[in-house]
């Protein structure tokens, strides 16, 4: 998951730079198409199957993921909202995961989830508040993308693990299915404004597609290995990295209030992690039989 967040940060920077030369939809379509190509190539190298057994769940994951991708690239490519703010709002998806997981996955959530939710959305208000008049619509699109991403990750958790706890679908198969659905959808969206990129634009498209594809495979593997709420919280590392990259690479100025909001969102995620670790430890102790000496 850490590897995925580093790659997603690179994808965000390439998207913002690429959107200065090309329509956001074209950048997003390149990301999806290249994602499918990379997933298929890795599957060939590893000998991993590309067969999907649970097609209903796979389609639910791919449709939600496509909606999330549209929202994400629309905001990443919009200069009216800072890159770090767009990523912070999108990174609220683990909060939505923790809220929805009890109903959709049967993974219980305690009181800490509701406390974390309150803190996280206070952070969202601080992030979106100072620039809401200029980018309020973009902020709402980011939050819509976060909800769609949360649903996609929940279906991903169900899709990636069988009844015995072993992986049921290969990460490459899941990513290929999603990338093909997103690629076809975004290619249709991009057709009316399609442009031929210059060399620099082509490099940004390649960087966006390659980094996003490998990040997707790493993230898919992470969700197949552990509980959705606990794994998803590591996406907050991407928030920190993106803020740093926005300042260092793009030269964007960070608003102190927005940074405070980002800190609250991250703190909420850390609270969920702490709660998840405690629950996992308690479950392990409860399932361990008592041992007596001879």
């Amino acid at each position: 998951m850490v590897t995925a967040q580093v790659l997603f940060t690179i994808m965000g920077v390439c998207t913002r730079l690429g959107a200065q030369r090309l329509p956001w939809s074209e950048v997003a379509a390149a990301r999806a198409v290249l994602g499918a190509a990379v997933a298929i190539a890795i599957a060939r190298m590893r000998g991993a199957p590309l067969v999907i057994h649970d097609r209903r769940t796979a389609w639910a994951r791919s449709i939600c993921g496509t909606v999330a991708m549209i929202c994400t690239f629309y905001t990443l490519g919009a200069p009216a909202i800072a890159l770090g703010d767009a990523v912070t709002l999108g990174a609220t998806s683990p909060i939505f995961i923790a809220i929805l997981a009890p109903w959709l996955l049967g993974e219980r959530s305690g009181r800490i989830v509701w406390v974390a939710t309150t803190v996280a959305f206070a952070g969202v208000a601080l992030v979106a508040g100072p620039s809401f008049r200029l980018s309020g619509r973009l902020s709402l699109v980011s939050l819509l993308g976060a909800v769609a991403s949360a649903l996609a990750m929940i279906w991903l958790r169900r899709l990636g693990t069988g009844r015995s706890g072993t992986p049921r679908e290969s990460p490459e198969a899941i990513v290929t299915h999603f990338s093909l659905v997103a690629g076809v959808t975004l290619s249709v969206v991009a057709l009316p404004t399609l442009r031929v990129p210059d060399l620099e634009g082509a490099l940004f498209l390649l960087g966006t597609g390659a980094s996003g594809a490998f990040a997707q495979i790493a993230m898919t593997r992470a969700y197949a290995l552990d509980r959705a709420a606990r794994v998803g919280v590591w996406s907050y590392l991407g928030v920190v990295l993106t803020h740093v990259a926005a300042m260092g690479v793009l030269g964007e100025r960070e608003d102190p209030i927005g940074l405070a909001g980002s800190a609250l969102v991250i703190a909420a995620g850390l609270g969920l992690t702490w709660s998840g670790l405690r629950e996992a430890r308690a479950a392990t102790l409860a399932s361990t039989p008592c041992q007596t000496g001879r």
Side-chain angles (χ1 to χ4, degrees), residues 159-218:
L159 188 63
T161 306
R163 295 179 180 178
S164 61
T166 57
R168 181 168 51 187
E169 320 282 0
S170 72
E172 292 81 4
I174 298 172
V175 173
T176 299
H177 189 280
F178 159 63
S179 297
L180 288 175
V181 172
V184 172
T185 303
L186 286 165
S187 295
V188 172
V189 173
L191 279 177
T193 57
L194 193 65
R195 299 179 192 172
V196 178
D198 56 13
L199 178 59
E200 190 172 353
L203 290 175
F204 287 137
L205 289 180
L206 180 61
T208 299
S211 58
F214 285 109
Q216 191 77 35
I217 291 175

Side-chain angles (χ1 to χ4, degrees), residues 18-236:
Q20 295 174 2
R21 295 173 171 269
L22 299 164
W24 69 268
S25 55
E26 187 171 344
V27 180
R31 152 71 184 93
V33 173
L34 285 173
V38 169
I40 292 173
I42 292 179
R44 296 280 186 180
M45 293 172 56
R46 297 183 61 243
L50 291 178
V51 178
I52 294 291
H53 301 92
D54 188 350
R55 296 182 180 179
R56 183 176 179 179
T57 305
W59 274 103
R61 183 267 181 274
S62 295
I63 291 172
C64 291
T66 299
V67 173
M69 181 176 282
I70 291 173
C71 294
T72 297
F73 278 86
Y74 181 76
T75 53
L76 289 180
I81 187 172
L83 179 62
D85 290 351
V87 172
T88 298
L89 294 174
T92 55
S93 60
I95 303 296
F96 291 112
I97 290 174
I99 294 173
L100 296 173
W103 288 276
L104 298 177
L105 289 178
E107 296 180 356
R108 294 186 305 166
S109 299
R111 295 180 180 178
I112 187 65
V113 170
W114 303 108
V115 175
T117 300
T118 303
V119 173
F121 282 102
V124 167
L126 291 178
V127 170
S131 58
F132 196 78
R133 291 182 181 179
L134 296 176
S135 59
R137 175 174 55 86
L138 294 172
S139 298
L140 293 177
V141 171
S142 288
L143 289 176
L144 174 62
V147 174
S149 179
L151 289 172
M153 295 306 102
I154 286 174
W155 301 136
L156 178 61
R157 174 63 174 160
R158 179 178 291 179
L159 188 63
T161 306
R163 295 179 180 178
S164 61
T166 57
R168 181 168 51 187
E169 320 282 0
S170 72
E172 292 81 4
I174 298 172
V175 173
T176 299
H177 189 280
F178 159 63
S179 297
L180 288 175
V181 172
V184 172
T185 303
L186 286 165
S187 295
V188 172
V189 173
L191 279 177
T193 57
L194 193 65
R195 299 179 192 172
V196 178
D198 56 13
L199 178 59
E200 190 172 353
L203 290 175
F204 287 137
L205 289 180
L206 180 61
T208 299
S211 58
F214 285 109
Q216 191 77 35
I217 291 175
M219 183 183 69
T220 300
R221 181 59 178 163
Y223 275 102
L225 291 174
D226 205 350
R227 294 178 62 184
R230 190 163 54 206
V231 170
V233 79
W234 282 96
S235 63
Y236 291 109

Side-chain angles (χ1 to χ4, degrees), residues 259-280:
L259 287 176
S262 297
L264 287 179
V265 173
I266 294 171
L270 293 177
L272 285 176
T273 302
W274 176 75
S275 175
L277 291 174
R278 286 189 60 187
E279 290 178 3

